[in-house]
Amino acid sequence: MEIAAGNGDRLSELPKDVLLNILEMVGTLDAVRTCILSKQMWNLPTMLSQIVIVPSDCDLVRMNGVSAHLINKVLSTRSPLITISKLKVRFVLTPKGCCSIGKSVGLAMATQKLDKAEFEIATPRNSYHCTHADLLKFAKRFTMFVADYQGAFAGLTRLQLQNLRFGESDIPNILGTCKRLESLSFFECDAGIRSVLHVEHAGLIELGIVFGEFKTVELDCLPKLQQMTYDTWPCDENPLVLGFVPQLSKLSLAKACLSHKTLMMSQLLANVQTVSDLYLDFRSEKIWIRPECPRVLAPVLGQLRFVNLDCLPEECDIRWTMFLLEAARYIKDFCISVWDHKCGSESQKSYSKKTDVTWEPSAPNFKHKNLAKLTIYGFQSDGNFMGYVSVSWKLR
C-alpha cells in the first residue's frame, strides 16, 4: 500500500480544481474537517467559491459558536480575487453569534465579490415553546442585528426568519435595508395579532409566509415577484391582496378551513392575470374557494397552465373542481389529491363538518382542447370518482 509506505494519500495529490469541486459538494464544515488532515490542503477552504454552513436541527444550537468562528476564519483569510458564488449560513439568533457573523459577512460584502448570500436564522426557542414575550424579544434582537450590521444585510439575496413579532414599521425598514433581497420567508412571524402587512420591494422574486397572525397581507408593489406562498392564515376575510405584481406566475395557498367563509378567485386575482401555476391545499377540511361563472373567472385565468388541488376531503363530491376547467381553457396539467384523516389520533381528526360544494356546469357540452394530463391521487371506484372521470373524458 502506498499510504503504508509513506508515499502520502491519493486525495491530496489530485489537481487543485478537482479537490475544490469535491469539497464544495460536501459542505464547508466537512470540507474544513477534511483539509485539516493534510498540510497540502490546509488553504483550500479559503479558495472555495461556495461557502455553505447549514448545521442540522439537532446540532444548530451546539454548533452556533463553531459556525460563527468558521465563517470569520474562511472569509477573513480568502483572496478578494476569488468570487464567492454562494454564501449560505444557518445560525441561531444569539447576541454573540450575530455580532461575529454580522462583522464577518459585512466585511466580505465590502471587500469581496459575492453573488448570492443567504441567512437562515433560527431562534433559541422553537415555535411550540415561544410565548408572546419571546416573540417580541426575538424580533427586537433581530431588528437591532439588522441596524448594527446594515452592510451584511444590504447584500443578502435570501432571508429566512422564524418566531418574530415585529413592530409596525420593522418589516418595511428591514426590506429597505435588504436592497438585493430576492427571496423572503416568514415562519410564525407577524407584526401583532390581526396586523396588516404591506410589502414593497424592487427586487423580491419569492415570498413565503407560514402561520403568523396577519389579518391581511397586501402586496402593494413587487414588480419582480414570481412566486407567492401563503400557508395557514388566521382570518377569513381578505387574507391576501395582490396589488402591483405584474410577473406573478406561481401562487400557492394552503389552509385547514373550519368556517363557512370562502374566497372568490375572481376577486383575489382581480389585478393579476399572469398566474400560470396554481396550488391549493385544503388540508382535508372544508373547501374554501367558491365556484364561479366562467365568464367572470376566465379573464384572470387566461395564463393558467398547471393546477394542483391537494387534500380534498373524501366525503365531498369533487365535480365542483370542473369550474376551473371551464374558466381556464388553456390548462395542460390538472391534478387532484383526495385524502382524509385516517389515523384516528387527536392531532389528525377533522374539526369541521364538511359539506358538498354546489356546482352546475354552465355549458354542459363544453370541450377542453388543451388538457393533456389529468391525475387523481386517492382514486376510489365509486360514483364520485367514476362520474368525474366520465365527465372529464367527454371534455376531449
Side-chain angles (χ1 to χ4, degrees), residues 315-351:
E315 55 264 50
C316 293
D317 194 324
I318 60 175
R319 286 180 298 175
W320 67 269
T321 61
M322 286 287 178
F323 89 92
L324 287 169
L325 290 172
E326 280 194 340
R329 297 300 181 94
Y330 295 98
I331 292 177
K332 296 180 179 179
D333 192 325
F334 199 77
C335 180
I336 296 174
S337 173
V338 180
W339 178 84
D340 233 335
H341 306 284
K342 292 294 186 185
C343 71
S345 66
E346 196 65 26
S347 62
Q348 292 294 314
K349 289 181 180 178
S350 174
Y351 291 95

Side-chain angles (χ1 to χ4, degrees), residues 59-132:
D59 293 332
L60 188 57
V61 175
R62 181 177 61 85
M63 295 291 294
N64 206 51
V66 174
S67 298
H69 174 74
L70 181 59
I71 294 164
N72 177 60
K73 189 70 174 177
V74 172
L75 291 179
S76 63
T77 56
R78 65 185 288 114
S79 168
L81 300 177
I82 303 174
T83 299
I84 303 174
S85 61
K86 181 179 181 180
L87 171 66
K88 182 176 181 179
V89 188
R90 187 181 188 214
F91 59 97
V92 180
L93 188 66
T94 61
K96 186 176 180 180
C98 289
C99 178
S100 176
I101 293 171
K103 285 181 180 179
S104 301
V105 175
L107 182 61
M109 295 281 188
T111 60
Q112 303 184 43
K113 181 172 174 55
L114 209 161
D115 292 338
K116 299 286 185 180
E118 305 179 9
F119 278 177
E120 294 184 7
I121 304 178
T123 50
R125 291 187 177 182
N126 62 36
S127 59
Y128 296 106
H129 298 98
C130 278
T131 64
H132 173 71

Side-chain angles (χ1 to χ4, degrees), residues 278-282 287 289 306-314 316-325 331 333-339 371 373-380 384-389 391-392 395:
L278 180 65
Y279 174 85
L280 305 176
D281 186 347
F282 300 93
I287 305 303
I289 62 169
F306 305 95
V307 175
N308 191 340
L309 305 179
D310 205 3
C311 293
L312 300 178
E314 284 185 4
C316 293
D317 194 324
I318 60 175
R319 286 180 298 175
W320 67 269
T321 61
M322 286 287 178
F323 89 92
L324 287 169
L325 290 172
I331 292 177
D333 192 325
F334 199 77
C335 180
I336 296 174
S337 173
V338 180
W339 178 84
L371 185 64
K373 183 179 180 182
L374 172 64
T375 305
I376 302 177
Y377 293 100
F379 184 87
Q380 299 178 33
N384 185 16
F385 291 91
M386 296 302 292
Y388 191 86
V389 171
V391 173
S392 302
L395 299 180

Side-chain angles (χ1 to χ4, degrees), residues 104-391:
S104 301
V105 175
L107 182 61
M109 295 281 188
T111 60
Q112 303 184 43
K113 181 172 174 55
L114 209 161
D115 292 338
K116 299 286 185 180
E118 305 179 9
F119 278 177
E120 294 184 7
I121 304 178
T123 50
R125 291 187 177 182
N126 62 36
S127 59
Y128 296 106
H129 298 98
C130 278
T131 64
H132 173 71
D134 289 330
L135 297 174
L136 293 174
K137 179 179 67 175
F138 295 149
K140 183 178 181 180
R141 184 179 297 174
F142 177 74
T143 54
M144 291 177 63
F145 180 28
V146 176
D148 291 341
Y149 300 99
Q150 295 187 33
F153 281 89
L156 280 188
T157 54
R158 180 174 176 269
L159 180 60
Q160 183 174 314
L161 301 172
Q162 63 177 247
N163 306 328
L164 306 173
R165 178 152 291 163
F166 293 103
E168 184 178 352
S169 62
D170 288 342
I171 295 177
N173 290 340
I174 291 166
L175 289 173
T177 300
C178 302
K179 299 185 183 301
R180 291 188 60 204
L181 199 64
E182 296 177 354
S183 177
L184 176 63
S185 297
F186 287 136
F187 179 86
E188 289 281 13
C189 295
D190 53 57
I193 296 175
R194 296 187 67 82
S195 56
V196 177
L197 173 63
H198 292 273
V199 188
E200 295 185 14
H201 194 278
L204 199 65
I205 296 173
E206 180 181 4
L207 175 62
I209 301 175
V210 181
F211 299 116
E213 294 292 339
F214 292 117
K215 175 185 176 183
T216 305
V217 174
E218 298 190 11
L219 308 186
D220 294 329
C221 185
L222 295 167
K224 293 187 177 182
L225 188 73
Q226 298 177 16
Q227 181 172 336
M228 174 68 203
T229 301
Y230 199 177
D231 187 334
T232 311
W233 52 90
C235 300
D236 293 323
E237 66 277 359
N238 300 323
L240 183 64
V241 177
L242 302 175
F244 184 67
V245 285
Q247 295 190 42
L248 183 65
S249 60
K250 186 171 184 178
L251 179 62
S252 300
L253 302 174
K255 180 179 174 64
C257 183
L258 306 181
S259 74
H260 64 282
K261 297 287 186 179
T262 56
L263 296 179
M264 296 180 67
M265 299 300 294
S266 61
Q267 294 181 2
L268 178 65
L269 300 175
N271 299 321
V272 182
Q273 301 178 12
T274 54
V275 173
S276 61
D277 192 330
L278 180 65
Y279 174 85
L280 305 176
D281 186 347
F282 300 93
R283 302 285 167 79
S284 302
E285 296 292 347
K286 287 185 177 180
I287 305 303
W288 41 260
I289 62 169
R290 186 188 310 173
E292 298 181 64
C293 173
R295 291 192 301 275
V296 175
L297 201 53
V300 298
L301 297 183
Q303 298 297 320
L304 194 60
R305 301 295 183 268
F306 305 95
V307 175
N308 191 340
L309 305 179
D310 205 3
C311 293
L312 300 178
E314 284 185 4
E315 55 264 50
C316 293
D317 194 324
I318 60 175
R319 286 180 298 175
W320 67 269
T321 61
M322 286 287 178
F323 89 92
L324 287 169
L325 290 172
E326 280 194 340
R329 297 300 181 94
Y330 295 98
I331 292 177
K332 296 180 179 179
D333 192 325
F334 199 77
C335 180
I336 296 174
S337 173
V338 180
W339 178 84
D340 233 335
H341 306 284
K342 292 294 186 185
C343 71
S345 66
E346 196 65 26
S347 62
Q348 292 294 314
K349 289 181 180 178
S350 174
Y351 291 95
S352 67
K353 183 178 180 181
K354 297 148 205 169
T355 55
D356 281 332
V357 178
T358 303
W359 173 82
E360 291 293 337
S362 60
N365 297 318
F366 93 98
K367 301 293 182 181
H368 199 294
K369 299 180 180 180
N370 294 291
L371 185 64
K373 183 179 180 182
L374 172 64
T375 305
I376 302 177
Y377 293 100
F379 184 87
Q380 299 178 33
S381 57
D382 58 19
N384 185 16
F385 291 91
M386 296 302 292
Y388 191 86
V389 171
S390 177
V391 173

